[in-house]
Structure formats: C-alpha cells, structure tokens
Amino acid sequence: MTCSRCGTPLVTGTVRVRPRIVLALLLAAYAAAWILSGAFLHDLAEGLDRTRLPLWKLALPLAGVAAVVVIAMRRRTRLRCPACADPIWRPLGAREAAHPARRAGLRGGAVALAGTVGAFAAAVGRNRGWIPVGRDFFGHEPSLTDAATLDPAWTEARVRRYRRLGRTGAEVSDISMGCGQLRDPAVARDALARGVTYFDTAPDYSDTASERALGEAIRGRRDEVFLATKFCRAEGHLLNETPVPEIVATVEGSLRRLGTDHIDLIHIHSCDRLDRLLAPNIHEAFDLLKAQGKVRFLGVSTHTPNLEEVANAAIDSGRFDVMMLAYHFGMWPHFGHILAKAKTHDVGVVAMKTLKGAKHTNLAPFRREAGSYAQSAFRWVLSNPDVSCLVVSFAKPQHVDEYLAASGTALMPADETRLRAYDTLVAGDYCQPHCGVCLPSCPHELAVHDVLRYRMYAKDYGWEREGMRLYAALDRDAHTCLTCPAPCAGSCPHGVPIRATMLDAHRTLALPTRA
C-alpha cells in the first residue's frame, strides 16, 4: 500500500499520541477543573449544604485526567507513511521502542502528576479570593483572657447602650452575642440578664446544638430578645434550588429548637454570589413564612471575597432589612461608603469578625491585654455611627464580663494606638500565604514560606510538636542562614526580616541533633 498523499509505500510501525495532543487534552481537563471543581470548592467554602453538593463536579475533571493518562500511555501498531508527518500519531524512537512498557509507565506517571496537580491548582486558583478571607476570619480566635487576669473593673459589666437596627425599629445592645461556640445555656442567660438583647445563631453551629442551648437560655424571656438565625441545615446552607416547602420545613425546625413561634431575623448566610442573594425560592419561602408570622425580617450575612458586590446588591434590591458584614480595624479600606449607603436606605448593619482572627499567644506586648485588645477593637467598630451593633462569640462566662465592659464606651486615642501597634507587629512577623516573592532570592533554595509557617504553628498556635515535626521533614533547614550573606534582605513586600526570622525559626524548631 502507498500513501494517498505522496505515494510513498506505507510501513508498519508502533506509534503513540503526539505530546501536543496530550497537552491540549490536559488543558481541557484543567479548564473543566476550573469550571466544575472550582464551582464545587466555592460552594463548599460558602458553606452550602455539603450533603447536596454535586460530587460529579469533582469526579468529571479527575476522570478527564485519567483518560489523558491512558491516551498518553497508549501505543498501537498501524500502517504509516515514513515521509508524511501524521498530526496525531508519532512513531516510537529506537530507545523508546526498546523499552516500551517502561517508557509508557514513566510517561503515564508524569502526565498523571501534571494532570492532578494542575487540576487541583485550577480549582483552588478560581477560589483564590477565599485565601485571605480564610486567613483573617477562620483562623484561631484570640487567646482568651484567663480568669486570673480579668480586670476587676469588668466584673458584672452590663450593656450601657442600645442602637436602632435600621428599619426593623428594634433597639438592640451595641455588643451582642454570637452563639457559634455556645454550649452552656448559662452563658447566654447571663448575657441576657446583663442587657444583651440581640442573639445570633444558626442550625449549622455545632450541629444544631447552638440553637438548642439558646432556646433553653431564653425560655420564659422570649419577648426580651431579638432573635436571628439562618436559612440552613446542620449540614450547611440551603441551595438555591431547594424547594419552597423544604425551606419552610427547615425554618420550622429552627423554631422548634429555639422554643419560639417566630424568628425576628433570618439571614441568607455567608453569601458570596448574587444568584444566592436573590434566589427566587428563598425569597418566596421568606414571604410565605412572613405572612404566617413565623419570621419578621430578612437579612444577609457576608464575610466573603465579593462582600462589597453582595452588600451593594442587597441594599439596591430593597428586600433586605439587615446586613451582617465583616468589619474590623484596617479592613476594606474603601468600605465606608457601603455602611453610609445602608444607613441612607435604613438598612441595619451588624458588624461581625471584629477581632479578625487575632491571636496573642506569642505577641508579648499584648499578653497582658488580650481583653483590652478586644475592647479596643469593639470601640473602633462602634465608633462608626452607621453600625447598629456588633456580634461576637461568647463561649465562656468570663466573656460576658470581658466583652460587655466595652459597651457604651468611647473610642480613645490609646485604642487606635493599640490596634495599629498590633497590626504593625503582625506585619513584621507574619509570612503572608501564597506570596513567595522572596523565594528566588535564596541561594540555598530554602522553603522560606514553609519554615515560617511551621514557626507560626509552634509560636503562635502552640503546636510546637507539629511545627518541629514538619520542620524536621524538610530537605534543607534554616541553619544555612547563619553563614549566608542574606541576599533575601529587603525582598519581603510585607516587611518580614527574613534572615532574623528564619534563624529564630531554626532556634525554635530544630531538634537537638540538628541544632
């Protein structure tokens, strides 16, 4: 047989798919991971009901990668023209033909690794906006003030100021109770006795235990409480397409757990997308529940990458009576206009995440004033008259004293000095995740970001053993910084003194045999 294009006699040979075809298929798998797996991770980060999320969005891109691996490894024997270049099939070279199975295995392994890593990176990359959110808001809470260090002036502190919650007309305590960590009803009872009127809970806080504990705490005093919960189940937030009767039944479950016949405010929680904000089924269910007297007002909470877009759309829609927004010192530099806009439209603003995940375990200047740091943060938030109140988690009896001591007090210059000092201290000590600007400047190719993260585990989180374990597993550690001329100096855009911090990490983490 001869070639139909050039007339050259055909020969029989072993061929495989050309690398550029494999690369194109890998890129298609990455695109699928970006679109499908990225959407899945976004829903997971947003807190949607994890039992209802479509796992096929994870499986399909991985199946695509697996298919590419098979294609990359596949060899076949076919007639080919030695003179014409086949756009799909490439003939095996002599070395490759001598060890076809080994070569195919190596090629398949490389494609599998590249496909898996690339698909993961694509899915995470689509959600990169959640990385700073997770660091700031879902990290460790501040070290709690020990009873031995409580300022006696805080004892039996009470709410001293109430503010109007937008068009709800409710007068709520300026410092209000978040029940995300509530286990003991006595804590909520004490807060109520000391004047806290706004209580925020949700079915997915502690697998409905928070609602049950709060319901027990307010029994017999329901008329003294402004009660807020969320459209969600124990497994997470309701999906947009949840049927209206199912949404109604879910809210009725909250009513039973809270021991009440009505909820004052119900939020679309942790909202990062306009389609969730304005989901027709959620709004239809709210209108039905409101007509039945089971809910009074609609709210939205957001501490997500698209906070500003969601907040603006919520105000513009005219549907929302209250917004619960992440708001703290040094955050959202252009955020003031949203609070002012909410005030103009008489939408109540509840501030949350006011402590921004601050930690004091290793911040010596703050060890004696963890409570005063919290109070300074609260005063700063409440100094904005466009904020109706703030919500903070009360988990222990001492928090009632510690937090309510800031109620009704004015922001002082010392408060702002303390907050700025804390941010400055963290800025010079904290290696920002997913930065890596300094890495090319290290002649020893040290994993600077990993070393400093393990140092943070040991010194800030108290995970010394875990930090040392991870540090010991590194191929190269920071002892080389002792004799290095430090070309990394000044390369950190966040002001971390790299050499000094790396040496401190080595002193902290090195096992005795490596010191």
Side-chain angles (χ1 to χ4, degrees), residues 169-183:
E171 294 289 326
V172 297
S173 50
D174 58 351
I175 294 178
S176 297
M177 181 170 177
C179 300
Q181 302 180 48
L182 182 65
R183 302 291 185 278

Side-chain angles (χ1 to χ4, degrees), residues 156-169:
E156 297 300 316
R158 297 184 58 85
V159 173
R160 286 175 280 187
R161 186 175 179 190
Y162 295 85
R163 299 188 180 197
R164 182 174 176 274
L165 186 61
R167 57 174 172 254
T168 71

Side-chain angles (χ1 to χ4, degrees), residues 213-268:
L214 182 57
E216 183 179 339
I218 66 175
R219 188 177 300 137
R221 303 186 66 177
R222 173 65 181 90
D223 59 344
E224 302 174 45
V225 171
F226 190 91
L227 191 57
T229 190
K230 318 295 190 317
F231 279 114
C232 66
R233 302 184 180 89
E235 297 79 15
H237 313 316
L238 299 178
L239 276 63
N240 293 357
E241 60 271 18
T242 304
V244 171
E246 197 172 322
I247 298 172
V248 171
T250 300
V251 175
E252 289 172 342
S254 289
L255 290 171
R256 287 191 296 273
R257 288 186 291 271
L258 290 163
T260 183
D261 62 355
H262 73 281
I263 292 165
D264 295 298
L265 174 64
I266 189 160
H267 287 291
I268 298 173

Side-chain angles (χ1 to χ4, degrees), residues 52-367:
R52 306 294 181 94
L53 296 181
L55 292 175
W56 65 267
K57 289 187 176 183
L58 286 180
L60 190 60
L62 291 178
V65 170
V68 177
V69 171
V70 172
I71 291 170
M73 293 178 65
R74 187 184 178 195
R75 306 184 311 277
R76 59 178 295 186
T77 301
R78 66 190 301 269
L79 290 172
R80 66 180 185 84
C81 176
C84 296
D86 192 305
I88 299 176
W89 301 100
R90 173 181 177 275
L92 268 63
R95 293 178 60 188
E96 191 174 9
H99 304 282
R102 179 173 175 271
R103 292 279 179 170
L106 290 173
R107 186 166 56 251
V111 171
L113 179 63
T116 303
V117 172
F120 177 81
V124 172
R126 176 175 172 177
N127 295 283
R128 61 192 178 277
W130 282 93
I131 293 170
V133 173
R135 183 184 69 242
D136 287 346
F137 298 147
F138 303 113
H140 290 256
E141 285 295 309
S143 297
L144 304 177
T145 306
D146 296 329
T149 64
L150 281 171
D151 188 328
W154 303 345
T155 304
E156 297 300 316
R158 297 184 58 85
V159 173
R160 286 175 280 187
R161 186 175 179 190
Y162 295 85
R163 299 188 180 197
R164 182 174 176 274
L165 186 61
R167 57 174 172 254
T168 71
E171 294 289 326
V172 297
S173 50
D174 58 351
I175 294 178
S176 297
M177 181 170 177
C179 300
Q181 302 180 48
L182 182 65
R183 302 291 185 278
D184 183 1
V187 177
R189 266 191 221 105
D190 191 19
L192 178 56
R194 302 219 219 150
V196 173
T197 58
Y198 183 109
F199 291 81
D200 177 85
T201 185
D204 63 344
Y205 292 167
S206 305
D207 194 21
T208 75
S210 171
E211 285 190 333
R212 297 179 194 279
L214 182 57
E216 183 179 339
I218 66 175
R219 188 177 300 137
R221 303 186 66 177
R222 173 65 181 90
D223 59 344
E224 302 174 45
V225 171
F226 190 91
L227 191 57
T229 190
K230 318 295 190 317
F231 279 114
C232 66
R233 302 184 180 89
E235 297 79 15
H237 313 316
L238 299 178
L239 276 63
N240 293 357
E241 60 271 18
T242 304
V244 171
E246 197 172 322
I247 298 172
V248 171
T250 300
V251 175
E252 289 172 342
S254 289
L255 290 171
R256 287 191 296 273
R257 288 186 291 271
L258 290 163
T260 183
D261 62 355
H262 73 281
I263 292 165
D264 295 298
L265 174 64
I266 189 160
H267 287 291
I268 298 173
H269 188 41
S270 188
C271 185
D272 189 53
R273 296 174 300 181
L274 299 188
D275 63 322
R276 267 196 74 210
L277 179 75
L278 303 172
N281 286 12
I282 296 289
H283 285 268
E284 182 181 342
F286 171 78
D287 290 339
L288 178 59
L289 288 161
K290 184 174 181 178
Q292 295 172 350
K294 295 176 180 177
V295 298
R296 297 175 61 204
F297 302 108
L298 180 63
V300 59
S301 77
T302 177
H303 46 70
T304 62
N306 291 326
L307 183 152
E308 294 196 35
E309 179 185 24
V310 169
N312 275 313
I315 297 169
D316 293 340
S317 73
R319 290 281 300 172
F320 294 87
D321 305 296
V322 176
M323 297 190 301
M324 184 160 67
L325 306 176
Y327 183 55
H328 58 63
F329 182 80
M331 174 189 165
W332 313 113
H334 307 296
F335 191 59
H337 71 282
I338 292 180
L339 302 183
K341 181 178 178 179
K343 186 70 170 281
T344 299
H345 288 76
D346 207 16
V347 174
V349 172
V350 178
M352 62 173 168
K353 309 297 182 185
T354 53
L355 297 175
K356 61 176 176 182
K359 55 187 182 295
H360 303 273
T361 306
N362 187 48
L363 302 180
F366 295 89
R367 287 186 69 90

Side-chain angles (χ1 to χ4, degrees), residues 26-51:
L26 273 181
L27 292 175
Y30 296 162
W34 174 278
I35 296 168
L36 299 176
S37 301
F40 180 93
L41 290 183
H42 186 283
D43 289 345
L44 199 62
E46 204 171 359
L48 297 187
D49 185 345
R50 55 189 175 275
T51 65

